[in-house]
Amino acid sequence: MKVLYDHQAFDMQHYGGVSNCFVQLISNFPQGVAYDISLLECDNFHLRDSGLIDLPPKSFPPEKFLLNRHFLGQGILYGWYSNIFPSKTSNGRNRLYSVEKLKQGDFDVFHPTFFDPYFLPYLNGKPFVLTVHDMIPELFPSSSNDSQVKVKPLLCQKAAHIVAVSERTKQDLIRILHVPEEKISVIYHGAPTYDDRTSLKPIFDGRYILYVGQRRDSYKNFLPMLKSLVPVLQHHQAIKVVCTGPDFTKAEKQFIEKVGLCNKVIHLHVNDLELQNLYAHALCFIYPSAYEGFGIPILEAYRANCPVLLNEASCFPEIAQEAAVYFHLDDQSSDLDQVMEDFLRMTDRERDSLLEKQRERLSCFSWQKSAQKLIDLYNSLV
């Protein structure tokens, strides 16, 4: 059996969860499974670091202006440019190469890495598997993901089978897109690896609550979280909130100033190793989102032996089960301040018990197990 993967996620992300998921799965395939990834050039960190394929970096002088500057409509303009002049962009060249690979037909199962339906005319009867990581575009619509909302129903209809990364995502597919239950398999993400090079010395001095994420708007509940934590941070003057991800927006800065937390909420730019260090030395990791497809940071915190506090929403109880402290946070109410106070009063014995539950739960997630489930699914289709 041979599986063909396309370029989409690796062109779309220099670094990110979707592309890393595919890299981890492919890297953990059992011996004897043949695969091909239709790429001519690539700058994706996960793929290049994995050693799965040896590719030159992107060479895109004509598109540098579109990629290296951030402005309103950048994505739309780049998409237009890539479609009109495919040979002049990395994405266009990789897409043409993907079409060529599809036409050659040297594969048994095709697995696109995102939702562009370009491949449908070229399958020639071969089955394809679609992975759905979440239903965020459908539940929290915005102009940036309109295209995904439009094409996902078509792809779900035509796919031979669909992989959902959690039972919650599966149920959302059934409820929102009316996908038959028997057409969906749940395959969890695996546990992240722990880098032994993590310094024992904290990169941030003091006691802090850790917030992690590339986004903080909308369903991420970042500002409602801060509002709920105001009395806690006022009561415990030594405790701060450390945030990773992009710089604070103007609106976020204004909100932080308004609620009197200017010296209490700290932003840091960190690499993977430094993020691991932040997990390892935090009082706790807090995840206030109203919705996630899976929640990889939960496993990252588990791996670093960091206590986890979760909004009791979405897939979080499914993924963490009893291995977390839960709070309630939505548009109407929140008990986060009281739950945080209770957490801070935990005895050493209670904290050790929580961490032991987290270690036990972490052992349930393995990229090797997930990869084998995916191979079993491919074999069932062939």
Side-chain angles (χ1 to χ4, degrees), residues 37 53 283 302:
I37 306 174
I53 55 177
L283 286 171
Y302 283 178

Side-chain angles (χ1 to χ4, degrees), residues 135-176:
M135 295 294 285
I136 290 171
E138 288 76 15
L139 293 169
F140 303 91
S142 69
S143 59
S144 63
N145 53 38
D146 280 350
S147 59
Q148 187 181 145
V149 173
K150 292 176 182 176
V151 301
K152 196 183 287 183
L154 171 67
L155 293 177
C156 287
Q157 177 189 354
K158 292 187 174 296
H161 205 80
I162 297 168
V163 172
V165 300
S166 66
E167 186 64 35
R168 176 57 186 262
T169 301
K170 175 181 177 178
Q171 295 305 316
D172 287 339
L173 277 165
I174 295 170
R175 178 174 59 87
I176 298 171

Side-chain angles (χ1 to χ4, degrees), residues 350-367:
E350 290 171 331
R351 180 185 173 93
D352 289 344
S353 176
L354 172 62
L355 293 175
E356 180 58 31
K357 290 177 182 177
Q358 292 185 181
R359 287 189 289 270
E360 291 175 0
R361 186 60 183 155
L362 180 65
S363 68
C364 299
F365 299 93
S366 160
W367 283 116

Side-chain angles (χ1 to χ4, degrees), residues 43 65 73 90 94 106-107 114 146 191 212 235 238 251 253 258 289 303 358 367:
D43 280 339
F65 173 80
S90 294
N94 283 329
D106 183 24
F107 61 93
F114 212 62
D146 280 350
V212 171
H235 182 219
K253 291 178 180 178
K258 179 182 177 181
S289 292
R303 179 64 76 191
Q358 292 185 181
W367 283 116

Side-chain angles (χ1 to χ4, degrees), residues 223-250:
L223 296 185
M225 176 198 76
L226 289 184
K227 183 178 180 180
S228 299
L229 287 176
V230 167
V232 178
L233 297 174
Q234 289 175 340
H235 182 219
H236 302 272
Q237 287 295 316
I239 296 178
K240 293 180 168 55
V241 177
V242 172
C243 307
T244 65
D247 291 333
F248 290 140
T249 65
K250 182 179 179 181

